[in-house]
Amino acid sequence: MNTPNQSSVYLIALGAFALGMASYVTAGLIPMIEASFAVSVSMAAQLVTAFTLAYGLGSPIFVALTPAHRQRAGLLLSLGMFVIASAASALAESFTVLMIWRAIAGVGAGVYLAMGIGASAAVSTPEHRGKAIAIIMGGMASGVVLGVPLSLLFAEQMGWQSALWLVALLGLIAFVGLLLKLPALPAATASSLRQKLTILSDGHVLVILTVSLLAAIASLGMYTFIAPLLTDPAYGAVRSVTPYLWVWGIGGVLGSFLVGPLVDRLKGPNVTFTIMLILAASLFVLPLAAALSTWLVMLPIVLWGAVGWALQVPQNNELIRARQAKGDGNLAIALNESALYLGSAIGAAAGGFLLLLQLPIWSLAACAGGVAALGALLQIVNLRRQPKLVAETQVGSCN
């Protein structure tokens, strides 16, 4: 990547950092918002639902509707929408208005991340595309691990609105930087909405999306129950899960950044297959490690965090490679993000159901490991398809 393009990638990553903060900070603000608007905890928690549903369901629709020759404008518009909605959320004087703005912010965030990953690939050479996507995902992971605690610290000192003002400020800095630095993006292949929807009949894409869904069910679903596992007297019985959450998050940041060069050097499906195997193994051994030592359990946790976050770099890179020529690479990425949010919701619901059946807490980790192993087996389909896809790409380039 040359210097101007590299600066664009880092500016997109700054926006992703703000997005990562916005995605997870609301959960920490619930007690303050509950008191501010005199609503119940269950009602305040629906702010998270509004953001994530709008993010996961709305973003593919808006990405599909973005004109092929307006990729740069679409990226800036979605980031601008996210910034305005974040600022308006901080100014909201009623809970209903706040929920509406959180939903709008969710749409803007989802569209921005999908188009931001696509833009980073467009301004990068093919041999550096994996690194560019890794920088974006690393920015988002850093927003979760570092940005959320920072914004909550602001909220504790200056009120819950200050956390959203910080998100809006970082997003605004990224917006101004991209407005000045982001070069014109190549127009995608023009196609109708009906033609774009044919992506759902692409078997290669469906396998990628299904693997992402299974990974999210396993990784993000189990993350919901990490505290009950580690505080269970039969296992870790730790006093505080905070250090372990930090270990998981730091592993995620490292995994997101370090996987980029591997994706550029190796075949994406091979990297994904290896990641799914490591994810399955780390989840399988999690209860055993927790029972043996409160220190030993940090090893599977850091591996779990690293591969769970790293997975989306080869997945998004493969989706771009498979669909960019057909003009719907950004839509494929948006669908992948939707699969992640849907998988997180399915994983949390399934884990809660297992606990209602009074199964032991270790069974959640075992089931999560099994789901990840199923994803690894499914990835073998893409490994077998790889020689055929490479041959098709070479024929297309010769033509």
Side-chain angles (χ1 to χ4, degrees):
M1 289 184 289
N2 57 41
T3 302
N5 289 349
Q6 189 172 31
S7 64
S8 297
V9 172
Y10 283 111
L11 286 168
I12 295 172
L14 176 60
F17 182 94
L19 189 158
M21 291 174 62
S23 298
Y24 291 89
V25 72
T26 308
L29 299 177
I30 286 176
M32 303 179 199
I33 293 174
E34 172 195 1
S36 180
F37 292 105
V39 296
S40 65
V41 175
S42 59
M43 181 61 69
Q46 298 313 306
L47 292 172
V48 178
T49 304
F51 185 96
T52 54
L53 277 179
Y55 185 118
L57 301 179
S59 57
I61 297 174
F62 284 90
V63 169
L65 294 175
T66 301
H69 61 291
R70 298 291 185 186
Q71 299 301 303
R72 184 180 188 275
L75 174 66
L76 292 172
L77 181 62
S78 61
L79 180 56
M81 180 192 301
F82 171 74
V83 171
I84 292 172
S86 297
S89 298
L91 294 171
E93 296 183 355
S94 73
F95 183 78
T96 300
V97 171
L98 176 60
M99 181 170 289
I100 292 173
W101 281 116
R102 294 319 295 152
I104 295 174
V107 173
V111 175
Y112 172 75
L113 185 63
M115 301 196 74
I117 292 173
S120 68
V123 300
S124 306
T125 56
E127 61 270 18
H128 291 115
R129 192 167 59 195
K131 179 182 178 182
I133 297 174
I135 291 172
I136 307 303
M137 298 308 299
M140 185 175 180
S142 299
V144 175
V145 176
L146 304 176
V148 169
L150 177 63
S151 57
L152 291 178
L153 182 61
F154 272 76
E156 291 171 359
Q157 300 298 321
M158 294 177 285
W160 62 268
Q161 295 91 339
S162 63
L164 297 177
W165 280 120
L166 179 58
V167 170
L169 176 61
L170 292 173
L172 180 61
I173 293 172
F175 178 87
V176 173
L178 288 171
L179 186 64
L180 298 175
K181 294 286 188 180
L182 183 65
L185 299 176
T189 304
S191 58
S192 66
L193 180 60
R194 184 176 181 179
Q195 289 173 321
K196 289 180 179 179
L197 292 179
T198 59
I199 190 175
L200 298 176
S201 63
D202 187 327
H204 181 47
V205 170
L206 290 179
V207 171
I208 295 174
L209 296 179
T210 304
V211 170
S212 288
L213 176 70
L214 293 174
I217 292 173
S219 181
L220 299 178
M222 185 60 209
Y223 182 74
T224 306
F225 302 98
I226 187 174
L229 174 67
L230 294 180
T231 56
D232 191 302
Y235 302 101
V238 300
R239 295 182 179 180
S240 173
V241 298
T242 301
Y244 301 91
L245 299 180
W246 274 100
V247 167
W248 186 86
I250 292 172
V253 173
L254 293 175
S256 297
F257 281 116
L258 295 178
V259 75
L262 292 176
V263 174
D264 289 329
R265 294 174 186 174
L266 305 174
K267 294 178 180 179
N270 289 334
V271 177
T272 296
F273 179 70
T274 303
I275 285 176
M276 293 300 292
L277 287 179
I278 296 174
L279 177 61
S282 61
L283 291 171
F284 277 132
V285 304
L286 182 63
L288 177 61
L292 292 175
S293 169
T294 55
W295 290 101
L296 181 62
V297 73
M298 288 189 175
L299 178 58
I301 288 176
V302 73
L303 286 175
W304 165 23
V307 296
W309 278 93
L311 176 69
Q312 296 317 308
V313 176
Q315 291 288 84
N316 284 321
N317 186 60
E318 188 67 12
L319 285 170
I320 291 172
R321 192 191 67 79
R323 300 298 301 190
Q324 193 172 43
K326 299 180 181 179
D328 52 13
N330 289 343
L331 176 58
I333 297 172
L335 289 172
N336 191 54
E337 297 302 315
S338 296
L340 296 180
Y341 275 84
L342 179 60
S344 176
I346 293 174
F353 179 72
L354 291 178
L355 292 181
L356 282 177
L357 296 178
Q358 297 184 338
L359 294 177
I361 191 69
W362 64 263
S363 65
L364 271 64
C367 289
V371 172
L374 178 61
L377 291 175
L378 182 59
Q379 183 60 17
I380 294 176
V381 175
N382 274 341
L383 289 173
R384 290 179 175 177
R385 287 173 57 90
Q386 188 64 20
K388 178 182 177 181
L389 292 171
V390 171
E392 291 175 351
T393 301
Q394 292 174 343
V395 170
S397 62
C398 291
N399 294 335

